[in-house]
């Protein structure tokens, strides 16, 4: 989501701070509200050649669930107070062992997913500060704060962006005891931390975080233009309280995309930082989505990422939001978050090439590699004009020899699509709810949808954690792949 509240600056009170932990050992998964029997749900309208029946006319009723025949909704964990407030949006997900950690504008929640059909709430940490995107490494949890706060504690208050003594950046927790996470450190970063990406350090005693932030203003004390760089934080694994910014590499020495003003959907956001970076450490590659630009980076020197190629698509892309490599690192899927996640971008008037994903082939070798656009992919199931709907966070389903992505679409739901043929991507499954009731704030749906160890986990802005199962021969080989840990922006080599 690109909507944000700004911000910020100096203090970095890094201490063992107290957090509110709500234990939920007895909480159980609510049964999915699903009006369709598992053996005969409606099928996707977007790929009639693949469909096993006729898709329903129109859109689902408010909160009604629909899904393709090959997808089952196996569990939902609704948010608990205070994570059920109108603006307490669910955000990103990280996985470690048999636990899923789900971010929220109010903090984060740890779930035991050893039984995917019956997740159990282990703990909930109240620590406000958008977006609270999460990643995990061993017993350490990292949390992005991208609003100006009175200090770096979990009891902080929001401050105006112009306040010179505000704080925002990275918070670090010890989650060795999942039932009682402990806040151990913080690192302030320029322009905050909208998202961050965990990168294995060459020094095995530490990890690196590539911090993406944007939106500078001459009136913001620690976020003045030009903001053409990222922050790199090194976290010593044995002493995370010593975490610090160790580099601020400039990615746009000549400036980024100047943008194009206009009305929705005909505009391009100027580049003033990056929104999200996905790394493929074993290939020494990264793909950066930076507002008006898409980058392919060489990260063989972790502290000095080098731009290999830079692409733009001012005709169709308004906001370069995120990226995903295929397993062979021969393709990148870039995402356009048209409307910042708050607009109805999945209507016939917007069309199939705005607010979509774009498949790029990586051609050439070494420093001569280039990104070549092959096709767009976007859901085309009917959506209500009140529904915020646009391409958002996803991950590969690790099928050897095929390129299959599961992806969130806010109120457009969750989609599974195949881009093995990069010129002809196609949908092979989906899950969605109908629009939110008219008396609710019209912003909801799936923020993040990731595949982990046999199931899809979706973080819904309003509905909590959904668990989906996929029963399809095209994705079946992925069931044999098990990971001890997964951060979607740090792609593993399966």
């Amino acid at each position: 989501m690109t909507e944000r509240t700004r911000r910020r600056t100096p203090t970095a009170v890094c201490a063992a701070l107290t957090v509110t932990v709500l234990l939920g050992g007895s909480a159980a998964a609510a049964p999915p509200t699903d009006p369709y029997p598992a053996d005969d749900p409606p099928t996707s309208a977007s790929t009639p050649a693949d469909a096993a029946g006729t898709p329903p006319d129109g859109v689902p009723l408010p909160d009604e669930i629909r899904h393709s025949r090959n997808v089952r909704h196996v569990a939902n964990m609704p948010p608990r107070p205070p994570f059920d407030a109108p603006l307490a949006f669910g955000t990103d997900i990280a996985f470690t062992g048999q636990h899923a950690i789900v971010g929220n504008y109010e903090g984060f929640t740890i779930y035991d997913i050893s039984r995917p059909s019956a997740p159990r709430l282990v703990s909930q940490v109240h620590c406000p500060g958008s977006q609270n995107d999460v990643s995990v490494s061993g017993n350490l949890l990292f949390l992005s704060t991208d609003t100006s706060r009175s200090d770096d504690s979990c009891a902080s208050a929001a401050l105006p962006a112009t306040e010179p003594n505000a704080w925002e950046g990275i918070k670090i927790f010890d989650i060795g005891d999942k039932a009682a996470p402990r806040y151990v450190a913080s690192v302030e970063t320029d322009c905050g931390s909208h998202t961050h990406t965990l990168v294995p350090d060459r020094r095995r005693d530490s990890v690196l975080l590539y911090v993406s932030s944007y939106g500078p203003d001459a009136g913001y004390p620690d976020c003045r233009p030009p903001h053409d760089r990222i922050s790199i934080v090194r976290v010593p694994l044995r002493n995370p309280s010593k975490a610090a910014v160790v580099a601020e590499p400039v990615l746009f020495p000549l400036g980024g995309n100047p943008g194009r003003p206009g009305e929705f959907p005909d505009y391009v956001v100027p580049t003033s930082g990056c929104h999200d970076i996905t790394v493929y450490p074993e290939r020494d590659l990264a793909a950066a989505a930076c507002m008006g630009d898409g980058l392919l980076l060489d990260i063989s020197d972790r502290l000095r990422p080098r731009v290999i190629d830079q692409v733009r698509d001012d005709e169709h892309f308004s906001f370069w939001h995120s990226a995903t490599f295929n397993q062979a690192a021969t393709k990148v899927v870039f995402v356009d978050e048209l409307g910042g996640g708050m607009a109805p971008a999945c209507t016939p008037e917007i069309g199939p090439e705005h607010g979509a994903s774009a498949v790029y082939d990586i051609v050439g070798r070494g420093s001569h590699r280039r990104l070549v656009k092959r096709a767009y992919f976007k859901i085309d199931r009917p959506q209500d004009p009140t529904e915020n709907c646009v391409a958002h966070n996803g991950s590969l389903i690790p099928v050897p020899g095929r390129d299959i992505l599961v992806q969130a679409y806010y109120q457009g739901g969750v989609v599974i699509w195949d881009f093995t043929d990069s010129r002809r991507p196609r949908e092979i499954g989906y899950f969605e709810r109908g629009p939110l009731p008219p008396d609710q704030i019209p912003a909801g749906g799936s923020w993040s949808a990731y595949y982990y160890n046999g199931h899809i986990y979706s973080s819904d802005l309003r509905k909590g954690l959904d668990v989906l199962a996929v029963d399809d021969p095209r994705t079946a080989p992925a069931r044999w792949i098990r990971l001890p840990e997964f951060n979607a922006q740090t792609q593993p080599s399966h």
Side-chain angles (χ1 to χ4, degrees):
M1 182 180 285
T2 58
E3 294 292 323
R4 53 185 310 184
T5 307
R6 298 226 41 125
R7 18 179 41 94
R8 39 153 2 90
T9 129
T11 82
V13 186
C14 302
L17 303 175
T18 303
V19 298
T20 301
V21 179
L22 304 177
L23 299 184
S26 61
T33 305
D34 189 345
Y36 297 96
D39 59 349
D40 192 25
T43 54
S44 167
S46 56
T47 52
D50 269 3
T54 303
D57 294 328
V59 298
L61 297 173
D63 286 342
E64 178 186 359
I65 288 176
R66 294 183 181 177
H67 52 79
S68 55
R69 187 183 299 277
N70 57 356
V71 172
R72 290 183 293 112
H73 187 208
V74 300
N76 171 258
M77 290 291 288
R80 288 172 45 164
F83 289 25
D84 59 349
L87 298 180
F89 296 133
T91 60
D92 216 358
I93 316 174
F95 302 88
T96 178
Q98 295 184 334
H99 293 86
I101 304 164
V102 183
N104 185 285
Y105 273 49
E106 291 294 322
F108 63 90
T109 304
I110 301 179
Y111 294 99
D112 182 330
I113 55 171
S114 55
R115 292 179 58 205
S117 61
R120 183 177 61 86
L121 191 151
V122 178
S123 61
Q124 181 169 291
V125 176
H126 188 220
C127 195
S130 69
Q131 313 192 116
N132 280 342
D133 278 8
V134 292
S135 67
V136 63
S137 178
N139 288 334
L140 296 180
L141 171 72
F142 308 103
L143 194 70
S144 281
T145 299
D146 196 34
T147 46
S148 296
R149 311 296 300 183
S150 56
D151 55 52
D152 65 351
S153 76
C154 287
S156 65
L159 290 179
T162 53
E163 170 58 50
N165 293 315
W167 180 93
E168 57 183 323
I170 294 289
K171 294 169 182 165
I172 305 171
F173 292 79
D174 185 322
I175 58 168
D177 182 350
K178 302 293 188 297
R182 183 173 59 90
Y183 184 8
V184 296
S186 71
V187 180
E188 187 173 25
T189 55
D190 285 352
C191 296
S193 176
H194 194 71
T195 65
H196 69 270
T197 304
L198 191 146
V199 187
D201 197 353
R202 301 293 188 193
R203 294 164 46 172
R204 298 189 178 185
D205 61 349
S206 61
V207 295
L208 300 173
L209 304 177
Y210 286 3
V211 177
S212 296
S213 57
Y214 61 90
D217 187 283
Y220 299 156
D222 275 1
C223 186
R224 294 190 172 100
H227 184 63
D228 51 11
R229 62 192 183 276
I230 63 172
S231 299
I232 302 180
V233 174
R234 173 174 278 131
V235 183
L237 296 175
R238 293 186 178 179
N239 191 1
S241 64
K242 297 295 184 181
V245 174
V246 293
E248 293 182 314
V250 172
L251 300 183
F252 299 95
L254 302 178
N257 192 329
R260 184 183 69 226
E263 299 298 321
F264 177 84
D266 188 28
Y267 66 92
V268 177
V269 176
T271 298
S272 61
C274 290
H275 181 277
D276 213 333
I277 300 173
T278 293
V279 297
Y280 198 156
E282 292 191 25
R283 305 286 182 135
D284 285 333
L285 286 175
C290 303
M291 306 178 74
D293 294 272
L295 303 180
L296 182 66
L297 302 173
D298 180 329
I299 59 166
S300 52
D301 185 335
R302 300 287 197 252
L303 299 184
R304 297 175 179 82
R306 179 175 59 85
V307 176
I308 301 173
D309 197 20
Q310 179 177 349
V311 291
R312 296 174 182 172
D313 184 359
D314 289 356
E315 182 179 0
H316 297 118
F317 263 44
S318 295
F319 190 94
W320 294 68
H321 173 276
S322 51
T324 304
F325 289 97
N326 70 334
Q327 195 60 42
T330 57
K331 304 171 190 173
V332 180
V333 173
F334 282 105
V335 170
D336 173 24
E337 193 190 33
L338 172 65
M342 303 297 287
C346 300
T347 63
E349 295 75 20
I350 301 299
E353 297 176 340
H354 294 273
S357 298
V359 183
Y360 282 77
D361 283 348
I362 302 174
V363 301
R365 295 185 177 183
S367 298
H368 300 289
R369 283 171 286 189
R370 294 293 179 264
L371 293 165
V372 179
K373 184 172 58 185
R374 298 302 191 197
Y376 295 98
F377 172 83
K378 186 179 178 181
I379 64 171
D380 64 359
R381 291 184 305 282
Q383 300 296 315
D384 191 273
T386 66
E387 291 182 288
N388 59 308
C389 176
V390 72
H392 210 232
N393 290 359
S395 73
L396 290 180
I397 296 181
V399 179
R402 299 198 68 84
D403 302 324
I404 299 177
L405 193 75
V406 58
Q407 186 174 18
Y409 259 82
Y410 289 106
Q411 287 198 75
V414 175
V415 64
I416 303 166
W417 58 285
D418 188 318
F419 63 103
T420 305
D421 183 343
S422 56
R423 297 178 188 270
R424 296 176 180 83
R426 58 177 182 156
E427 180 177 296
I428 63 174
Y430 79 96
F431 164 87
E432 71 169 325
R433 287 184 173 89
L436 291 167
D439 61 343
Q440 294 187 16
I441 296 173
S446 179
W447 173 295
S448 302
Y450 301 138
Y451 183 92
Y452 180 68
N453 292 353
H455 286 78
I456 292 169
Y457 297 86
S458 168
S459 171
D460 189 287
L461 273 73
R462 312 294 292 279
K463 305 295 184 182
L465 179 68
D466 286 304
V467 185
L468 309 176
V470 186
D471 300 309
D472 192 298
R474 291 164 291 192
T475 62
R479 297 174 184 170
W480 301 103
I481 296 174
R482 288 290 185 268
L483 298 174
E485 188 174 276
F486 181 56
N487 301 292
Q489 289 75 37
T490 310
Q491 287 195 220
S493 179
H494 300 110

